[in-house]
Amino acid sequence: MMSSIILAGGRSSRLAQDKCSVMLAGETLLQRIINCINQPDEEIILALIQGQANPLPSSQSEVKIAIDQYTGKGPLAGIYSGLRLSKDSHSLVVACDMPFLNISLLQYMIRLAPGFDIVIPRMGELLEPLHQRMKERVLQSP
């Protein structure tokens, strides 16, 4: 069992528009991520910043909302807030502006996760910290 946390908070300053609602191939980036990671009986948590409008349609009431506990701390605050709401010992963490998630890589990471606190993909020396699976106990209050 595993929760999925989608980081959707922030000011979208690089896009100059709400990243959750950007359309790609007929669906929003957020909906594309939800469709990609949605598994039966596993929870999805959407991490938002304080004061951010909920970008989900009312038909997706099964998605839990986590509001950042700490303002101005970036993605780490969203991860922390999502993990606090998660009911599972492991969580998959992705950003809502990652429309081309590699499902094979995620499944491989999930298989590697037992016995580790965190699994992060790496290309040579470069880490991709938002394509990861974490254990709640790794994070402490920012």
Side-chain angles (χ1 to χ4, degrees), residues 21 49 70:
S21 61
I49 61 172
Y70 299 93

Side-chain angles (χ1 to χ4, degrees), residues 2 5 13 22-24 26 37 58 78 84 86-87 90 93 95 107 110 119 123 135 141:
M2 175 187 63
I5 299 169
S13 55
V22 170
M23 298 296 288
L24 178 65
I37 63 174
S58 58
R84 286 183 48 96
S86 173
K87 65 180 169 119
H90 286 81
V93 180
Q107 291 170 342
I110 289 166
V119 176
M123 292 285 292
K135 268 191 173 178
S141 296

Side-chain angles (χ1 to χ4, degrees), residues 24-91:
L24 178 65
E27 60 187 351
T28 66
L29 292 183
L30 179 58
Q31 189 59 54
R32 188 175 175 96
I33 297 296
I34 290 171
N35 292 343
C36 183
I37 63 174
N38 195 14
Q39 297 294 318
D41 300 325
E42 292 182 1
E43 72 180 346
I44 295 177
I45 299 167
L46 184 64
L48 304 173
I49 61 172
Q50 292 181 19
Q52 181 177 357
N54 182 346
L56 291 168
S58 58
S59 63
Q60 293 199 288
S61 60
E62 74 282 355
V63 175
K64 295 180 180 179
I65 302 296
I67 304 299
D68 284 358
Q69 301 293 306
Y70 299 93
T71 58
K73 301 296 183 187
L76 208 55
I79 294 170
Y80 175 79
S81 300
L83 288 173
R84 286 183 48 96
L85 190 59
S86 173
K87 65 180 169 119
D88 297 311
S89 64
H90 286 81
S91 293

Side-chain angles (χ1 to χ4, degrees), residues 5-9 14 19-20 29-30 32-34 37 46-47 75 79 92-101 128-132:
I5 299 169
I6 303 171
L7 303 177
R14 291 182 304 242
K19 58 189 168 191
C20 294
L29 292 183
L30 179 58
R32 188 175 175 96
I33 297 296
I34 290 171
I37 63 174
L46 184 64
I79 294 170
L92 170 70
V93 180
V94 297
C96 76
D97 56 357
M98 298 173 67
F100 304 109
L101 291 174
E128 179 48 65
L130 291 181
H131 207 107
Q132 59 189 300

